[in-house]
């Protein structure tokens, strides 16, 4: 029996988790299927048909790729949506700060694919290299599940497992092999940085004290692991799979095991663009929503694989560098790899909803978690007025308007901006009413 690329990716969803979710402040969302209105449209023609959105090529942005490939943007009047690939989140922030001067400048972008809490940081001018505030709006989340923490093969024989463990023997073993053990992510401060820190802290390992966390660019991940410069890496599904397929690492834990139905990456845009072009904004959200629903339909799995592969291999479309990743993703893997990955198809990456929980809706309580974690690691001042910032940046009202316009029933639309108390794999809880606790 052979394992397809899609089945491999479902492993990053992942295995049975000990995490529970309490949704005490919001009614459960209906899990019943519904039909998108075939005649759904925006209230009027969009003010402009064009927009430039930055992306980091990954499986997580599938809804954006599908919306473009399936002509869903065009369906709602946005006939010239340009998806601009970047190799770092820093570049996306820099180009968003430049902006397009509302269509007059091709050096910048109008928004795009971000991790939390970048829009809040841009909004408040809290990114060091930026000299001014750039007003931003969060419009929707793009996915849940997909991220993974992997362990380099040199430490595999010493039994690093999901369970909590004493750290010092790990580091001693690593030093015997010539290099201390390091954690690694592709960008300090990213969502993957926060997941890695949470996992380490749950085992009483203090990041940047007991273990260094280093920043490794996407294109240097494999060479650095080969040189034993990184042993515990938190990455998206694409880059995790690269390391596993290269026989350099094995899975340790999925982010979906640390926090089931965790808030994934987001679509955010410059506030000036949204304010000037509200109809165009709703058109974008509706198109991406429809794409999210399409991506989650098992009947579309094979076509989704094809769209992803073509999106990243057609140089006229997205990619700006020679990339072999999707060749790896599409090739079959032997049966023993399925056992090694501990595949559980019950928790794949999701884009619209998962087990009756909205994936796409941008809960304000999740924005609060990210800002609270930033404060936990001393990346933000303790007296930061988080509620005011979130209320200014989060535009869940636009999400609701778009959802109703495409025919999403009221029973599938959250009534609260908080998803309630979240319980993590280590038993600790995040209560949005008492975030510091």
């Amino acid at each position: 029996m052979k394992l397809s690329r899609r089945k491999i990716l479902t492993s990053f969803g992942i295995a049975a988790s000990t995490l529970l979710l309490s949704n005490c402040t919001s009614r459960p969302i209906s899990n019943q299927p519904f039909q998108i209105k075939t005649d759904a449209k925006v209230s009027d023609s969009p003010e402009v048909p064009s927009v430039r959105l930055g992306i980091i090529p990954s499986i997580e942005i599938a809804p954006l790729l599908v919306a473009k490939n399936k002509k869903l943007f065009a369906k709602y009047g946005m006939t010239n949506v340009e998806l601009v690939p970047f190799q770092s989140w820093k570049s996306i922030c820099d180009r968003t700060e430049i902006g397009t001067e509302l269509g007059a400048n091709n050096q910048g972008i109008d928004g795009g694919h971000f991790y939390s809490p970048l829009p809040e940081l841009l909004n408040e001018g809290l990114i060091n290299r930026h000299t001014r505030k750039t007003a931003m709006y969060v419009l929707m989340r793009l996915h849940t599940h997909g991220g993974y923490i992997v362990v380099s093969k040199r430490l595999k024989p010493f039994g690093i497992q999901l369970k909590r463990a004493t750290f010092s023997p790990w580091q001693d073993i690593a030093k015997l092999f010539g290099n201390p053990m390091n954690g690694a992510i592709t960008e300090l401060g990213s969502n993957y940085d926060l997941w890695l820190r949470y996992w380490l802290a749950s085992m009483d390992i203090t990041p940047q004290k007991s273990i260094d966390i280093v920043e490794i660019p996407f294109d240097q991940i494999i060479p650095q692991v080969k040189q034993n410069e990184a042993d515990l890496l938190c990455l998206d599904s694409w880059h995790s799979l690269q390391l596993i397929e290269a026989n350099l690492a094995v899975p340790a834990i999925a982010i979906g095991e640390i926090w089931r139905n965790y808030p994934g990456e987001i679509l955010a845009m410059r506030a000036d663009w949204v304010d000037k072009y509200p109809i165009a904004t709703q058109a974008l959200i509706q198109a991406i929503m429809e794409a999210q629903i399409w991506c989650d339909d098992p009947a579309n799995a094979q076509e989704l694989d094809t769209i992803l592969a073509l999106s990243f291999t057609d140089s006229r479309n997205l990619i700006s560098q020679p990339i072999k990743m999707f060749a790896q993703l599409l090739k079959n893997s032997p049966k023993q790899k399925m056992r090694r990955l501990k595949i559980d198809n019950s928790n794949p990456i999701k884009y619209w909803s998962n087990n009756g929980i909205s994936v796409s809706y941008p809960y304000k309580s999740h924005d609060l978690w990210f800002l609270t974690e930033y404060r936990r690691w001393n990346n933000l001042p303790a007296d930061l007025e988080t509620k005011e910032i979130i209320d200014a940046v989060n535009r869940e009202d636009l999400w609701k308007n778009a959802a109703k316009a495409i025919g999403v029933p009221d029973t599938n639309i959250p009534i609260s901006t908080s998803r309630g108390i979240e319980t993590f794999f280590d038993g600790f809880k995040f209560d949005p009413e008492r975030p510091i606790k």
Side-chain angles (χ1 to χ4, degrees):
M1 173 180 159
K2 291 187 175 181
L3 182 63
S4 71
R5 178 205 73 84
R6 184 170 184 82
K7 291 190 183 225
I8 289 174
L9 287 182
T10 61
S11 69
F12 301 102
I14 216 73
S17 169
T18 57
L19 182 149
L20 300 173
L21 175 68
S22 171
N23 197 13
C24 61
T25 62
S26 175
R27 75 173 174 221
I29 304 301
S30 171
N31 206 23
Q32 296 299 313
F34 61 88
Q35 293 295 319
I36 296 172
K37 291 180 182 177
T38 55
D39 59 346
K41 60 182 181 180
V42 289
S43 58
D44 202 347
S45 297
E47 303 88 349
V48 288
S50 304
V51 67
R52 301 186 84 228
L53 303 176
I55 59 168
I56 299 290
S58 64
I59 308 300
E60 285 72 10
I61 62 162
L64 295 173
L65 302 175
V66 167
K68 186 172 179 66
N69 183 276
K70 302 283 291 180
K71 297 182 170 39
L72 298 177
F73 288 129
K75 170 183 175 180
Y76 293 105
M78 298 301 293
T79 55
N80 186 26
V81 175
E82 185 178 358
L83 302 180
V84 185
F86 291 95
Q87 294 305 307
S88 73
W89 302 103
K90 294 183 180 70
S91 296
I92 287 184
C93 287
D94 291 342
R95 294 301 183 91
T96 300
E97 185 188 34
I98 293 170
T100 64
E101 296 177 356
L102 300 175
N105 179 2
N106 286 332
Q107 297 302 309
I109 56 178
D110 302 303
H113 168 217
F114 291 85
Y115 64 76
S116 292
L118 279 181
E120 288 86 353
L121 301 183
L122 281 167
N123 193 77
E124 298 303 305
L126 294 173
I127 297 179
N128 290 337
R129 64 190 175 280
H130 291 229
T131 57
R132 60 184 174 86
K133 296 181 178 182
T134 302
M136 296 290 295
Y137 290 149
V138 169
L139 302 180
M140 64 197 306
R141 293 212 175 261
L142 297 174
H143 72 98
T144 190
H145 298 170
Y148 212 76
I149 295 174
V150 297
V151 178
S152 71
K153 289 296 289 290
R154 76 174 182 134
L155 297 183
K156 178 61 170 63
F158 300 97
I160 296 177
Q161 302 293 334
L162 309 184
K163 63 185 179 182
R164 302 178 70 175
T166 303
F167 171 70
S168 56
W170 297 5
Q171 194 63 285
D172 291 342
I173 290 166
K175 289 176 181 176
L176 285 175
F177 280 76
N179 290 71
M181 181 168 54
N182 289 328
I185 61 319
T186 57
E187 186 164 317
L188 293 173
S190 68
N191 48 345
Y192 296 102
D193 188 4
L194 298 183
W195 309 138
L196 182 59
R197 286 171 182 265
Y198 191 97
W199 182 63
L200 292 169
S202 74
M203 296 179 286
D204 299 322
I205 302 168
T206 306
Q208 307 298 32
K209 181 178 179 181
S210 305
I211 183 174
D212 287 337
I213 297 180
V214 298
E215 188 176 75
I216 300 177
F218 286 116
D219 59 355
Q220 289 297 309
I221 291 172
I222 285 181
Q224 293 293 305
V225 173
K226 285 182 176 178
Q227 296 169 27
N228 296 328
E229 296 297 328
D231 291 288
L232 301 170
L233 299 99
C234 189
L235 303 164
D236 62 78
S237 53
W238 180 355
H239 291 92
S240 297
L241 182 59
Q242 273 194 287
L243 288 172
I244 294 165
E245 288 285 288
N247 202 31
L248 294 172
V250 293
I253 189 169
I255 309 310
E257 290 181 280
I258 295 172
W259 183 0
R260 185 169 174 76
N261 293 314
Y262 69 87
E265 288 146 28
I266 51 179
L267 177 74
M269 297 189 68
R270 289 176 59 107
D272 58 0
W273 198 95
V274 172
D275 290 341
K276 186 169 184 178
Y277 305 131
I279 300 173
T281 300
Q282 181 165 325
L284 289 174
I285 300 173
Q286 289 180 203
I288 297 169
M289 281 181 169
E290 188 169 334
Q292 288 179 307
I293 295 166
W294 186 93
C295 287
D296 278 359
D297 187 343
N300 299 324
Q302 186 173 354
E303 187 178 354
L304 176 58
D305 286 346
T306 302
I307 289 172
L308 289 170
L310 293 177
S311 294
F312 289 97
T313 55
D314 182 356
S315 61
R316 295 167 301 174
N317 188 0
L318 291 179
I319 213 60
S320 58
Q321 63 171 355
I323 282 189
K324 299 178 181 177
M325 282 86 160
F326 271 88
Q328 290 177 313
L329 291 173
L330 288 170
K331 74 181 182 183
N332 291 327
S333 298
K335 185 176 180 180
Q336 60 266 26
K337 284 194 177 179
M338 180 172 67
R339 290 197 298 268
R340 189 180 72 195
L341 291 175
K342 301 177 183 177
I343 285 178
D344 177 359
N345 291 342
S346 64
N347 289 303
I349 186 169
K350 290 287 187 177
Y351 302 101
W352 173 251
S353 66
N354 193 32
N355 297 325
I357 295 171
S358 178
V359 170
S360 176
Y361 178 75
Y363 286 98
K364 291 184 178 183
S365 59
H366 292 159
D367 297 335
L368 180 60
W369 183 86
F370 285 104
L371 289 173
T372 303
E373 284 293 292
Y374 256 58
R375 292 168 69 177
R376 174 187 183 184
W377 301 112
N378 299 316
N379 290 328
L380 286 176
D383 59 352
L384 186 70
E385 295 292 342
T386 53
K387 183 180 185 303
E388 288 78 359
I389 295 171
I390 293 168
D391 286 345
V393 173
N394 185 298
R395 294 301 307 272
E396 54 85 31
D397 58 313
L398 300 182
W399 187 97
K400 289 182 177 179
N401 291 340
K404 291 175 181 177
I406 67 169
V408 177
D410 288 345
T411 52
N412 291 70
I413 297 176
I415 60 172
S416 172
T417 60
S418 173
R419 202 169 73 175
I421 297 173
E422 311 273 359
T423 305
F424 292 73
F425 81 125
D426 55 4
F428 281 92
K429 299 179 187 294
F430 173 70
D431 183 351
E433 298 298 317
R434 297 185 294 172
I436 302 304
K437 181 178 184 300

